Amino acid sequence: FLIMDEEDELVPDPDDRGLLDLTNRAWVHIDPIVFKMSMKLVTLDISYNHITEIPAQIQELVLLRELRASFNKISSIAPEIGKLKRIKRLYLNSNRLTIIPSEIGRLDSLEELILSENSIEEIPDSLALMSALRILKLQNNNLSSIPGELSNIFTLEEIDCSNNRNLTMIPHSWRGDTESILFICRIHRDYNTKMEEMVATNNDLSKHSQFLEQEQLIMREKIGDLKHQIDQVIGFLPKRAKQKYDLALKQAADEAAGNNNKKLT
């Protein structure tokens, strides 16, 4: 047995299966001694306490496969949770979460993510990176949207986002039906992809147009410089040569005007 403090209740070692049950202890914080069990702990159950956060030290539990933290008062999750590379099941339902860190998308071994009965307003797009995810529970939150990229998770078997009254992107009667939710997600994903392509094309056209305008401006400046140089050269010509030059310009202008008149007739 490991002891927290002389006045605290004994904290047992994990059992032979690596399970540590710390439920119903009225804890507000996870005692630091838990994070020293990293080479023994496979399943940690801290449900039914008053815990307010999942701290950064959670990253120490390198062998953890399952974390049960339901029915607490958790309002924040440290980004370091994304370092639990072996975790397969994460239960955070019935807490006080409003946001989920984007680092959670790094849990590429995670199969079950239970986030129901919180106050979550937004799900990070990074969830779409969870290539092993099978079950995603989001019901009874404050979601206004879910990432269309969730439809990219081919392993996803069950998703539930019922009782999210602001989730207008999905019809109310479809919010508990996995196939319908993924269908809507695919539509939003494809729409967003097309919009991104259109914006990129528009930006390319704008850049090209700006380039042409700059080229035209440079050409005008070069023509102006060339005319100035020609005028300077003409100024040094003998009078007779200058008259011949002016006559040649007049003839060229008359011929051009004559050609235009023929085209009109």
Side-chain angles (χ1 to χ4, degrees):
F1 284 83
L2 297 170
I3 303 177
M4 294 188 295
D5 291 312
E6 290 183 1
E7 298 179 355
D8 285 334
E9 185 180 355
L10 293 176
V11 176
D13 277 329
D15 65 17
D16 294 340
R17 298 171 299 165
L19 169 64
L20 180 59
D21 186 348
L22 298 173
T23 59
N24 295 298
R25 290 179 174 242
W27 282 8
V28 176
H29 303 288
I30 304 173
D31 194 275
I33 202 167
V34 173
F35 304 118
K36 297 179 181 179
M37 303 177 182
S38 59
M39 304 312 295
K40 302 177 183 178
L41 199 50
V42 177
T43 301
L44 174 61
D45 193 347
I46 51 173
S47 302
Y48 297 98
N49 280 287
H50 305 294
I51 295 168
T52 59
E53 65 172 348
I54 301 295
Q57 295 96 314
I58 196 70
Q59 66 182 311
E60 303 296 331
L61 304 180
V62 293
L63 299 181
L64 197 65
R65 296 285 185 97
E66 183 172 324
L67 175 59
R68 305 172 191 166
S70 306
F71 296 94
N72 277 284
K73 298 179 181 179
I74 299 169
S75 60
S76 66
I77 303 172
E80 285 77 7
I81 196 161
K83 296 183 179 180
L84 299 178
K85 293 300 184 180
R86 289 182 172 83
I87 195 165
K88 291 182 176 293
R89 289 171 289 277
L90 180 55
Y91 302 105
L92 291 165
N93 54 297
S94 299
N95 278 288
R96 298 180 180 179
L97 294 168
T98 57
I99 58 174
I100 303 297
S102 61
E103 288 80 4
I104 202 169
R106 298 175 183 171
L107 303 179
D108 47 18
S109 295
L110 195 69
E111 297 178 2
E112 299 180 25
L113 178 57
I114 313 301
L115 298 172
S116 51
E117 289 80 42
N118 278 282
S119 299
I120 301 168
E121 298 175 356
E122 185 178 11
I123 294 295
D125 293 343
S126 60
L127 254 66
L129 302 176
M130 293 180 173
S131 56
L133 192 63
R134 296 187 303 104
I135 298 173
L136 177 58
K137 297 284 191 176
L138 300 170
Q139 64 266 36
N140 297 301
N141 278 286
N142 294 328
L143 295 173
S144 57
S145 65
I146 58 174
E149 288 74 17
L150 290 178
S151 58
N152 294 337
I153 306 177
F154 298 116
T155 55
L156 198 56
E157 299 172 1
E158 182 180 352
I159 177 172
D160 190 343
C161 55
S162 55
N163 296 322
N164 283 273
R165 59 183 179 180
N166 297 322
L167 190 60
T168 55
M169 66 178 283
I170 299 175
H172 182 272
S173 59
W174 289 14
R175 294 175 190 171
D177 182 74
T178 300
E179 290 187 7
S180 299
I181 294 170
L182 293 178
F183 172 73
I184 295 293
C185 284
R186 279 191 292 272
I187 292 175
H188 281 263
R189 177 199 63 190
D190 294 345
Y191 171 79
N192 291 335
T193 300
K194 291 294 183 184
M195 288 299 297
E196 288 173 1
E197 290 174 354
M198 290 176 65
V199 169
T201 301
N202 184 63
N203 289 338
D204 289 341
L205 289 173
S206 297
K207 290 178 182 178
H208 185 64
S209 176
Q210 291 173 1
F211 174 76
L212 289 177
E213 289 176 359
Q214 290 174 353
E215 287 294 307
Q216 289 175 350
L217 181 60
I218 293 171
M219 185 62 70
R220 290 193 193 101
E221 291 176 352
K222 287 182 177 180
I223 291 172
D225 291 341
L226 185 57
K227 286 181 177 179
H228 179 68
Q229 292 173 11
I230 291 172
D231 289 342
Q232 286 181 330
V233 171
I234 292 172
F236 291 107
L237 289 175
K239 185 175 181 181
R240 193 168 183 179
K242 186 176 180 182
Q243 288 174 346
K244 286 183 178 181
Y245 177 77
D246 291 339
L247 180 60
L249 287 179
K250 184 177 183 304
Q251 289 175 347
D254 290 342
E255 287 178 6
N259 290 334
N260 288 334
N261 290 332
K262 287 179 180 179
K263 290 179 180 179
L264 292 173
T265 56

